[in-house]
PDB file of all heavy atoms in Angstrom:
ATOM      1  N   LEU A 166     -86.597  -0.809  67.460  1.00 98.00           N
ATOM      2  CA  LEU A 166     -85.469   0.120  67.439  1.00 98.00           C
ATOM      3  C   LEU A 166     -85.964   1.526  67.144  1.00 98.00           C
ATOM      4  O   LEU A 166     -85.607   2.509  67.827  1.00 98.00           O
ATOM      5  CB  LEU A 166     -84.441  -0.298  66.360  1.00 98.00           C
ATOM      6  CG  LEU A 166     -83.265   0.667  66.145  1.00 98.00           C
ATOM      7  CD1 LEU A 166     -82.387   0.711  67.425  1.00 98.00           C
ATOM      8  CD2 LEU A 166     -82.413   0.206  64.972  1.00 98.00           C
ATOM      9  N   SER A 169     -87.630   2.846  70.151  1.00 98.00           N
ATOM     10  CA  SER A 169     -86.684   3.227  71.193  1.00 98.00           C
ATOM     11  C   SER A 169     -86.053   4.563  70.862  1.00 98.00           C
ATOM     12  O   SER A 169     -85.688   5.345  71.756  1.00 98.00           O
ATOM     13  CB  SER A 169     -85.610   2.155  71.372  1.00 98.00           C
ATOM     14  OG  SER A 169     -84.632   2.204  70.331  1.00 98.00           O
ATOM     15  N   MET A 170     -85.873   4.858  69.587  1.00 97.00           N
ATOM     16  CA  MET A 170     -85.290   6.152  69.177  1.00 97.00           C
ATOM     17  C   MET A 170     -86.308   7.280  69.491  1.00 97.00           C
ATOM     18  O   MET A 170     -85.917   8.358  69.899  1.00 97.00           O
ATOM     19  CB  MET A 170     -84.944   6.120  67.689  1.00 97.00           C
ATOM     20  CG  MET A 170     -83.683   5.269  67.459  1.00 97.00           C
ATOM     21  SD  MET A 170     -83.323   5.046  65.704  1.00 97.00           S
ATOM     22  CE  MET A 170     -82.770   6.679  65.244  1.00 97.00           C
ATOM     23  N   ALA A 172     -88.386   7.113  71.934  1.00 98.00           N
ATOM     24  CA  ALA A 172     -88.398   7.231  73.407  1.00 98.00           C
ATOM     25  C   ALA A 172     -87.246   8.098  73.877  1.00 98.00           C
ATOM     26  O   ALA A 172     -87.428   8.987  74.722  1.00 98.00           O
ATOM     27  CB  ALA A 172     -88.372   5.835  74.024  1.00 98.00           C
ATOM     28  N   ILE A 173     -86.063   7.819  73.374  1.00 98.00           N
ATOM     29  CA  ILE A 173     -84.895   8.586  73.867  1.00 98.00           C
ATOM     30  C   ILE A 173     -84.999  10.023  73.402  1.00 98.00           C
ATOM     31  O   ILE A 173     -84.602  10.962  74.109  1.00 98.00           O
ATOM     32  CB  ILE A 173     -83.566   7.911  73.519  1.00 98.00           C
ATOM     33  CG1 ILE A 173     -82.458   8.444  74.440  1.00 98.00           C
ATOM     34  CG2 ILE A 173     -83.166   8.073  72.059  1.00 98.00           C
ATOM     35  CD1 ILE A 173     -81.294   7.568  74.570  1.00 98.00           C
ATOM     36  N   ALA A 194     -80.076   9.133  68.667  1.00 98.00           N
ATOM     37  CA  ALA A 194     -79.060   8.163  69.127  1.00 98.00           C
ATOM     38  C   ALA A 194     -78.303   7.694  67.891  1.00 98.00           C
ATOM     39  O   ALA A 194     -78.874   7.288  66.915  1.00 98.00           O
ATOM     40  CB  ALA A 194     -79.737   6.989  69.830  1.00 98.00           C
ATOM     41  N   SER A 195     -76.956   7.748  68.003  1.00 98.00           N
ATOM     42  CA  SER A 195     -76.122   7.356  66.863  1.00 98.00           C
ATOM     43  C   SER A 195     -75.218   6.202  67.257  1.00 98.00           C
ATOM     44  O   SER A 195     -74.886   6.028  68.422  1.00 98.00           O
ATOM     45  CB  SER A 195     -75.252   8.522  66.420  1.00 98.00           C
ATOM     46  OG  SER A 195     -76.027   9.575  66.005  1.00 98.00           O
ATOM     47  N   THR A 285     -78.903   5.225  64.963  1.00 98.00           N
ATOM     48  CA  THR A 285     -78.884   3.779  65.273  1.00 98.00           C
ATOM     49  C   THR A 285     -79.686   2.982  64.222  1.00 98.00           C
ATOM     50  O   THR A 285     -79.359   1.841  63.946  1.00 98.00           O
ATOM     51  CB  THR A 285     -79.377   3.471  66.702  1.00 98.00           C
ATOM     52  OG1 THR A 285     -80.572   4.195  66.993  1.00 98.00           O
ATOM     53  CG2 THR A 285     -78.356   3.846  67.725  1.00 98.00           C
ATOM     54  N   ASN A 286     -80.696   3.592  63.644  1.00 98.00           N
ATOM     55  CA  ASN A 286     -81.469   2.885  62.610  1.00 98.00           C
ATOM     56  C   ASN A 286     -80.720   2.788  61.286  1.00 98.00           C
ATOM     57  O   ASN A 286     -80.553   1.668  60.758  1.00 98.00           O
ATOM     58  CB  ASN A 286     -82.784   3.623  62.383  1.00 98.00           C
ATOM     59  CG  ASN A 286     -83.654   2.999  61.341  1.00 98.00           C
ATOM     60  OD1 ASN A 286     -83.773   1.759  61.307  1.00 98.00           O
ATOM     61  ND2 ASN A 286     -84.245   3.786  60.472  1.00 98.00           N
ATOM     62  N   TRP A 329     -71.567   4.474  70.680  1.00 98.00           N
ATOM     63  CA  TRP A 329     -72.900   5.051  70.826  1.00 98.00           C
ATOM     64  C   TRP A 329     -72.847   6.442  71.438  1.00 98.00           C
ATOM     65  O   TRP A 329     -72.070   6.706  72.344  1.00 98.00           O
ATOM     66  CB  TRP A 329     -73.730   4.099  71.706  1.00 98.00           C
ATOM     67  CG  TRP A 329     -75.122   4.553  72.057  1.00 98.00           C
ATOM     68  CD1 TRP A 329     -76.244   4.282  71.358  1.00 98.00           C
ATOM     69  CD2 TRP A 329     -75.516   5.290  73.224  1.00 98.00           C
ATOM     70  NE1 TRP A 329     -77.338   4.802  72.011  1.00 98.00           N
ATOM     71  CE2 TRP A 329     -76.935   5.423  73.145  1.00 98.00           C
ATOM     72  CE3 TRP A 329     -74.859   5.846  74.314  1.00 98.00           C
ATOM     73  CZ2 TRP A 329     -77.666   6.091  74.116  1.00 98.00           C
ATOM     74  CZ3 TRP A 329     -75.593   6.505  75.295  1.00 98.00           C
ATOM     75  CH2 TRP A 329     -76.973   6.629  75.176  1.00 98.00           C
ATOM     76  N   SER A 330     -73.658   7.337  70.924  1.00 98.00           N
ATOM     77  CA  SER A 330     -73.784   8.659  71.514  1.00 98.00           C
ATOM     78  C   SER A 330     -75.189   9.229  71.248  1.00 98.00           C
ATOM     79  O   SER A 330     -75.922   8.655  70.412  1.00 98.00           O
ATOM     80  CB  SER A 330     -72.739   9.631  70.939  1.00 98.00           C
ATOM     81  OG  SER A 330     -73.041   9.866  69.576  1.00 98.00           O
ATOM     82  N   ILE A 331     -75.560  10.281  71.955  1.00 98.00           N
ATOM     83  CA  ILE A 331     -76.813  10.934  71.660  1.00 98.00           C
ATOM     84  C   ILE A 331     -76.540  12.418  71.405  1.00 98.00           C
ATOM     85  O   ILE A 331     -75.759  13.035  72.138  1.00 98.00           O
ATOM     86  CB  ILE A 331     -77.891  10.782  72.755  1.00 98.00           C
ATOM     87  CG1 ILE A 331     -77.281  10.900  74.174  1.00 98.00           C
ATOM     88  CG2 ILE A 331     -78.636   9.462  72.625  1.00 98.00           C
ATOM     89  CD1 ILE A 331     -78.308  10.791  75.302  1.00 98.00           C
ATOM     90  N   ALA A 465     -79.318  -3.922  65.891  1.00 97.00           N
ATOM     91  CA  ALA A 465     -80.600  -3.317  66.214  1.00 97.00           C
ATOM     92  C   ALA A 465     -81.037  -3.628  67.664  1.00 97.00           C
ATOM     93  O   ALA A 465     -81.495  -2.755  68.376  1.00 97.00           O
ATOM     94  CB  ALA A 465     -81.658  -3.831  65.247  1.00 97.00           C
ATOM     95  N   PRO A 467     -79.214  -4.769  70.489  1.00 98.00           N
ATOM     96  CA  PRO A 467     -78.460  -4.076  71.545  1.00 98.00           C
ATOM     97  C   PRO A 467     -78.662  -2.573  71.538  1.00 98.00           C
ATOM     98  O   PRO A 467     -78.748  -1.967  72.620  1.00 98.00           O
ATOM     99  CB  PRO A 467     -77.008  -4.444  71.268  1.00 98.00           C
ATOM    100  CG  PRO A 467     -76.959  -5.131  69.957  1.00 98.00           C
ATOM    101  CD  PRO A 467     -78.333  -5.645  69.669  1.00 98.00           C
ATOM    102  N   MET A 468     -78.791  -1.950  70.382  1.00 98.00           N
ATOM    103  CA  MET A 468     -78.989  -0.497  70.374  1.00 98.00           C
ATOM    104  C   MET A 468     -80.384  -0.143  70.888  1.00 98.00           C
ATOM    105  O   MET A 468     -80.565   0.858  71.559  1.00 98.00           O
ATOM    106  CB  MET A 468     -78.744   0.043  68.965  1.00 98.00           C
ATOM    107  CG  MET A 468     -77.293   0.013  68.524  1.00 98.00           C
ATOM    108  SD  MET A 468     -76.209   1.021  69.612  1.00 98.00           S
ATOM    109  CE  MET A 468     -75.583  -0.196  70.736  1.00 98.00           C
ATOM    110  N   MET A 469     -81.332  -0.997  70.548  1.00 98.00           N
ATOM    111  CA  MET A 469     -82.711  -0.759  71.058  1.00 98.00           C
ATOM    112  C   MET A 469     -82.705  -0.846  72.600  1.00 98.00           C
ATOM    113  O   MET A 469     -83.309   0.006  73.260  1.00 98.00           O
ATOM    114  CB  MET A 469     -83.622  -1.835  70.455  1.00 98.00           C
ATOM    115  CG  MET A 469     -85.071  -1.778  70.856  1.00 98.00           C
ATOM    116  SD  MET A 469     -85.405  -2.612  72.421  1.00 98.00           S
ATOM    117  CE  MET A 469     -85.004  -4.316  72.058  1.00 98.00           C
ATOM    118  N   VAL A 470     -82.000  -1.819  73.144  1.00 98.00           N
ATOM    119  CA  VAL A 470     -81.945  -1.934  74.602  1.00 98.00           C
ATOM    120  C   VAL A 470     -81.244  -0.741  75.186  1.00 98.00           C
ATOM    121  O   VAL A 470     -81.748  -0.135  76.181  1.00 98.00           O
ATOM    122  CB  VAL A 470     -81.209  -3.265  75.006  1.00 98.00           C
ATOM    123  CG1 VAL A 470     -80.843  -3.272  76.480  1.00 98.00           C
ATOM    124  CG2 VAL A 470     -82.104  -4.461  74.681  1.00 98.00           C
ATOM    125  N   LEU A 471     -80.140  -0.330  74.638  1.00 98.00           N
ATOM    126  CA  LEU A 471     -79.385   0.801  75.222  1.00 98.00           C
ATOM    127  C   LEU A 471     -80.236   2.104  75.143  1.00 98.00           C
ATOM    128  O   LEU A 471     -80.338   2.837  76.134  1.00 98.00           O
ATOM    129  CB  LEU A 471     -78.060   0.958  74.438  1.00 98.00           C
ATOM    130  CG  LEU A 471     -77.065   1.963  75.008  1.00 98.00           C
ATOM    131  CD1 LEU A 471     -76.768   1.690  76.447  1.00 98.00           C
ATOM    132  CD2 LEU A 471     -75.771   1.885  74.177  1.00 98.00           C
ATOM    133  N   ASN A 472     -80.818   2.346  73.995  1.00 98.00           N
ATOM    134  CA  ASN A 472     -81.680   3.525  73.887  1.00 98.00           C
ATOM    135  C   ASN A 472     -82.809   3.498  74.923  1.00 98.00           C
ATOM    136  O   ASN A 472     -83.116   4.521  75.548  1.00 98.00           O
ATOM    137  CB  ASN A 472     -82.342   3.607  72.503  1.00 98.00           C
ATOM    138  CG  ASN A 472     -81.351   3.871  71.389  1.00 98.00           C
ATOM    139  OD1 ASN A 472     -80.256   4.345  71.615  1.00 98.00           O
ATOM    140  ND2 ASN A 472     -81.753   3.610  70.117  1.00 98.00           N
ATOM    141  N   THR A 473     -83.380   2.326  75.078  1.00 98.00           N
ATOM    142  CA  THR A 473     -84.531   2.205  75.952  1.00 98.00           C
ATOM    143  C   THR A 473     -84.151   2.407  77.431  1.00 98.00           C
ATOM    144  O   THR A 473     -84.834   3.134  78.168  1.00 98.00           O
ATOM    145  CB  THR A 473     -85.223   0.837  75.800  1.00 98.00           C
ATOM    146  OG1 THR A 473     -85.563   0.677  74.422  1.00 98.00           O
ATOM    147  CG2 THR A 473     -86.497   0.727  76.645  1.00 98.00           C
ATOM    148  N   ILE A 474     -83.083   1.752  77.884  1.00 98.00           N
ATOM    149  CA  ILE A 474     -82.754   1.863  79.294  1.00 98.00           C
ATOM    150  C   ILE A 474     -82.304   3.289  79.648  1.00 98.00           C
ATOM    151  O   ILE A 474     -82.573   3.791  80.713  1.00 98.00           O
ATOM    152  CB  ILE A 474     -81.742   0.799  79.761  1.00 98.00           C
ATOM    153  CG1 ILE A 474     -80.403   0.924  79.002  1.00 98.00           C
ATOM    154  CG2 ILE A 474     -82.323  -0.607  79.625  1.00 98.00           C
ATOM    155  CD1 ILE A 474     -79.321  -0.076  79.473  1.00 98.00           C
ATOM    156  N   VAL A 475     -81.634   3.922  78.691  1.00 98.00           N
ATOM    157  CA  VAL A 475     -81.220   5.330  78.985  1.00 98.00           C
ATOM    158  C   VAL A 475     -82.464   6.232  78.981  1.00 98.00           C
ATOM    159  O   VAL A 475     -82.611   7.106  79.845  1.00 98.00           O
ATOM    160  CB  VAL A 475     -80.149   5.817  77.995  1.00 98.00           C
ATOM    161  CG1 VAL A 475     -79.834   7.299  78.203  1.00 98.00           C
ATOM    162  CG2 VAL A 475     -78.857   4.997  78.148  1.00 98.00           C
ATOM    163  N   ALA A 476     -83.390   6.020  78.036  1.00 98.00           N
ATOM    164  CA  ALA A 476     -84.643   6.794  78.020  1.00 98.00           C
ATOM    165  C   ALA A 476     -85.390   6.599  79.333  1.00 98.00           C
ATOM    166  O   ALA A 476     -85.903   7.559  79.918  1.00 98.00           O
ATOM    167  CB  ALA A 476     -85.500   6.370  76.811  1.00 98.00           C
ATOM    168  N   ASP A 477     -85.434   5.353  79.795  1.00 98.00           N
ATOM    169  CA  ASP A 477     -86.162   5.072  81.018  1.00 98.00           C
ATOM    170  C   ASP A 477     -85.536   5.807  82.216  1.00 98.00           C
ATOM    171  O   ASP A 477     -86.215   6.408  83.037  1.00 98.00           O
ATOM    172  CB  ASP A 477     -86.147   3.569  81.270  1.00 98.00           C
ATOM    173  CG  ASP A 477     -86.771   3.173  82.612  1.00 98.00           C
ATOM    174  OD1 ASP A 477     -87.971   3.428  82.753  1.00 98.00           O
ATOM    175  OD2 ASP A 477     -86.021   2.662  83.464  1.00 98.00           O
ATOM    176  N   LEU A 555     -92.443   2.867  77.967  1.00 98.00           N
ATOM    177  CA  LEU A 555     -91.929   3.776  76.911  1.00 98.00           C
ATOM    178  C   LEU A 555     -92.490   3.461  75.537  1.00 98.00           C
ATOM    179  O   LEU A 555     -92.150   4.093  74.558  1.00 98.00           O
ATOM    180  CB  LEU A 555     -90.401   3.709  76.856  1.00 98.00           C
ATOM    181  CG  LEU A 555     -89.681   4.248  78.055  1.00 98.00           C
ATOM    182  CD1 LEU A 555     -88.219   3.768  78.118  1.00 98.00           C
ATOM    183  CD2 LEU A 555     -89.708   5.764  78.120  1.00 98.00           C
TER     184      LEU A 555
END
Side-chain angles (χ1 to χ4, degrees):
L166 176 64
S169 77
M170 288 172 70
I173 200 159
S195 299
T285 45
N286 179 42
W329 175 91
S330 67
I331 41 178
M468 289 300 96
M469 179 277 296
V470 166
L471 188 53
N472 291 343
T473 305
I474 60 176
V475 174
D477 174 64
L555 293 164

